[in-house]
Amino acid sequence: MARAAVKAQAAEPLDGAERILQILSESARLFATTGYDGTSMRDIAEACGISKSLLYHHFKDKDEIYARITLGSTRELYQFVFDRLPEGARPIERIRGFMVATGEYFQRYRWAWVASTTAFWNDPEQRRQKERMMWRDRYENLLRGLIQAAIEAGELRPLDVPLAGRLILSSLNWMHRWYKPEKGMSAPQIADAYFDMILNGLKVEG
């Protein structure tokens, strides 16, 4: 306990915004690795090196932290990807941009991604589920719009747009189950490789 108190005192100088970001980052890691039920406010406080009273100063309970992470991650994924689509590029290159930006978001905010993915299917709170679905639909419809634009530009053959969108998203969404940041390619590089495989195929031409 003494060591935790020393850490808490040393950590106090962070301003409010930095402290909240630290709490959300550490909480996301704990929720992703030990689950919601396996994470307590004490665990979060200790991970942040702060007192429980300071933690409660920023958040009223664990559920508020969890909601902030899981709802925010779904919304911010859409905005992050949208902001990084290359303006004026061919539709096919905008699909590449969508995939690479998704990989970049995953790499930067991996723990929030994992916690949000778990909550997406398991959170019993209907209001939060509806809001997640709204932002998830915007993200998915953004990709579908890019695929449709590529078809109309003659860069892709006519195909089932929703099915193609699900194929691309499935390749990206399952990275968290096997990705090891210390091994091999980065997540954006993997997304770019997926783009090449999906758009250009696996079979040798001719």
Side-chain angles (χ1 to χ4, degrees):
M1 293 292 293
R3 184 172 63 178
V6 171
K7 287 175 66 180
Q9 291 175 359
E12 291 296 324
L14 286 180
D15 66 27
E18 290 175 323
R19 175 65 67 213
I20 289 172
L21 180 59
Q22 181 203 28
I23 292 169
L24 293 174
S25 297
E26 289 296 334
S27 298
R29 180 181 62 81
L30 289 170
F31 290 140
T33 55
T34 64
Y36 178 85
D37 292 334
T39 301
S40 67
M41 289 292 273
R42 180 182 298 278
D43 294 331
I44 295 169
E46 290 182 353
C48 295
I50 61 176
S51 65
K52 283 181 67 178
S53 62
L54 180 58
L55 179 58
Y56 279 109
H57 172 73
H58 292 293
F59 295 96
K60 67 178 181 180
D61 55 26
K62 182 174 69 170
D63 190 63
E64 183 183 4
I65 299 174
Y66 191 63
R68 180 82 170 267
I69 292 167
T70 57
L71 287 176
S73 181
T74 308
R75 179 178 62 247
E76 288 159 15
L77 169 62
Y78 167 83
Q79 197 62 54
F80 186 94
V81 171
F82 181 83
D83 289 345
R84 284 159 180 76
L85 293 179
E87 293 187 14
R90 294 161 49 211
I92 202 77
E93 287 303 317
R94 286 169 63 81
I95 295 174
R96 181 198 294 272
F98 177 100
M99 295 178 69
V100 171
T102 297
E104 184 181 349
Y105 182 88
F106 169 76
Q107 183 159 288
R108 287 194 190 187
Y109 308 108
R110 182 183 173 206
W111 295 124
W113 175 295
V114 175
S116 180
T117 299
T118 302
F120 194 85
W121 301 111
N122 299 326
D123 191 345
E125 176 57 60
Q126 290 300 312
R127 181 187 60 80
R128 294 198 299 233
Q129 188 75 336
K130 285 178 66 176
E131 187 172 346
R132 280 193 204 95
M133 289 297 295
M134 178 190 74
W135 286 104
R136 180 65 183 185
D137 287 348
R138 288 190 183 185
Y139 171 73
E140 186 167 339
N141 287 334
L142 176 60
L143 175 60
R144 291 183 182 183
L146 297 175
I147 294 171
Q148 184 63 47
I151 292 171
E152 292 173 0
E155 296 181 325
L156 291 177
R157 61 180 175 80
L159 43 75
D160 186 314
V161 172
L163 195 62
R166 293 189 195 103
L167 172 63
I168 291 172
L169 292 179
S170 294
S171 70
L172 299 170
N173 289 342
W174 282 93
M175 279 199 296
H176 75 275
R177 299 297 295 271
W178 57 266
Y179 176 70
K180 296 290 188 298
E182 69 278 4
K183 295 182 180 180
M185 296 186 292
S186 68
Q189 289 173 329
I190 292 169
D192 194 47
Y194 280 159
F195 170 83
D196 180 66
M197 291 177 190
I198 292 171
L199 273 296
N200 296 320
L202 301 175
K203 187 174 66 172
V204 175
E205 292 186 4

